[in-house]
Structure formats: structure tokens, C-alpha cells
Amino acid sequence: MPTTVDLRVVDKSPVAEGVVTLTLAAPHGGRLPDWTPGAHVDLVLPNGFVRQYSLCGDRWDPHTYRIGVLREPDGRGGSAFVHDELSVGDSVGIGGPRNNFPLVPSRRYLFVAGGIGITPLLPMLHQAELLGTGWHLLYGGRTRRSMAFLDELARYGEHVTVCPQDEYGLLDLDTWLDVDAGTKVYCCGPEALLAAVERRCVTWPPGRLRTERFVPRDSGVRGEPFEVTLARSGRSVTVQPGQSVLEAVTAAGAGLLSSCRQGTCGTCETGVLDGVPDHRDSILDDAERAAGDCMFPCVSRARTDRLVLDL
């Protein structure tokens, strides 16, 4: 678990059906670490649960963080605790911020959000406005009642297209993704949306489409054991089928920090010195995967019989 600081819940507000925002501040009003659009934090709840949430407030406010939390009926209990148990005045731990989804320079942006996937995009819209860069947001959800932050988005006028599924059906991705080569597309939302966008953009050059997942990709894993060598100590361990690299190297005393253990948060990023990793994360893009010089051992494995890690 990464190092955390204790913050206090200073506001809890419903912003849509099944969505609340938490505003967090230091107990004595101190300055919080700076962050950039696309960043997320680890939220350490009083019951010990750790969950990752995108920062969706004002990045220029040095004293508060804001996150949006969707109640997940089939989740692991973290969102239910936030909705049902967490109150203003309670203390929570915060790890980070970290940014695996940065806003990079572009002549124009198309932002595509599905449901709670709007959260990391909100600060990006503000940043694009400040820079005077052309942009448009396509925002889908089940119903208007379930779509958070519609009141905040209203100020952007025609820059935003809101398409609730019960009114318009599924997003018309073929039309919206027919954009010129100078447009970068940022997409966040449920897996079905991300997969559909990735299929539509499969021929695009690396870097034009950028996505962020809140849950890991569906993927198979290598069924055979393989060796991992810790370069700094020279120690080697065998990773068994059904065991993660993280579990194996931690048992060997590597002391590697981790958080989500799903390949979505980026905490356990580790350098690869030799061997070919079998990437199973939801963070790296195709070019970064091809480079093969880092991996996320909480989920990723090996395509070769041996990996040498910078641990």
C-alpha cells in the first residue's frame, strides 16, 4: 500500500442518480499536492478498503480535492461504504495523485464519456478552454437522471453533446469518430464503450486515441510457471500458475508498493531489464507495450521463461 495522507470529508453531495461527490481537505487547511487533468488518487476508507477515483474538481484550488463515486450494486463494497457510511467530518486516507491518463497537446480534442467516465474528463475540458484549444464532448449514459455534472457542463453550450441512451440509443461512434488527423480522442467509461471505440480506431496511429479503464481488461494468462530475477539482489523466484508476479516478488522481500491489484492504478510499475512481459494492464498504450521496458506485476506475467526486473 503506498504512503497516504489523512484528509477530511468536508462535503458530500448527490450529483446524479447513484452518484455522489466527496470534497476532501487537510484537517487544518493545508495545501494539497498539485495535480494535472486525468490524475487519480487512492481513497483509503475507514474500513480499510482502497479504491481509485479520478480527481474531478478545480486543479487550481490548492486546498481541496473532489472525486465522484458511482454506487456499484455488484461491486466489492467500497462504493456502497462511501454512499451509505461515509459522512462529512470523517477522515480518509489519500495516496497519490498519479496520472496515467494525461492530457497531451493537440490541435483539437474529442472527449467521449460514458456514465461515471465523465470524471477524469471534466478537468480536461477546463484545461482545453484555458488554452483556447478546440474541443467537443460526447457524453452518454443510461438516462439524464444517471448522468452526473450536467449542470456544470451546461456552461459550455454547444461544445457538449448529451446523449442519454433511453432518448437517443447507443452513441453513434462511426459519425463522431470521423475526425481529422489533428484531433486526439480521449475516452473513459464502461468496457463496452471503450472496446467499441478501440475497434473503430484500430487503424489509427499510436497516441491519437487515449483511454482509461476503471476495471481491468478481460484477458487470459500464461498457464506455465516462469522465473523472475530481482536484479538488485540477484534472487530468483518461481511464479506459479494462479500466482501474480507481485505476490511472488513480495514474498521474496522486494517490498514493492501496490494498490488496486487490477492493473488500473499504476502504483506497482516496475522496470523490465530482460525478458518479454505479457502485459495484462489497462494503462500502457501499444507503443509502451511494444517497448517492453516496464510492466505492472499485479496482473502482467511473462511471455518468456524468465524476466529480470529492476527490483
Side-chain angles (χ1 to χ4, degrees), residues 109-113 118 121-122 125 135-139 153 158-162 176:
Y109 300 102
L110 172 64
F111 301 106
V112 182
I118 188 63
L121 302 183
L122 283 178
L125 312 184
W135 65 272
H136 197 90
L137 168 68
L138 175 63
Y139 183 16
L153 293 170
E158 294 182 354
H159 284 288
V160 175
T161 299
V162 176
W176 282 100

Side-chain angles (χ1 to χ4, degrees), residues 153-174:
L153 293 170
R155 62 179 170 144
Y156 293 121
E158 294 182 354
H159 284 288
V160 175
T161 299
V162 176
C163 294
Q165 186 175 345
D166 64 340
E167 298 177 28
Y168 297 97
L170 296 176
L171 297 178
D172 183 2
L173 296 179
D174 286 339

Side-chain angles (χ1 to χ4, degrees), residues 33-58:
D34 293 338
W35 57 281
T36 55
H40 70 273
V41 293
D42 300 310
L43 179 68
V44 186
L45 296 168
N47 63 357
F49 288 172
V50 182
R51 301 292 184 264
Q52 288 72 43
Y53 294 105
S54 298
L55 291 170
C56 62
D58 180 2

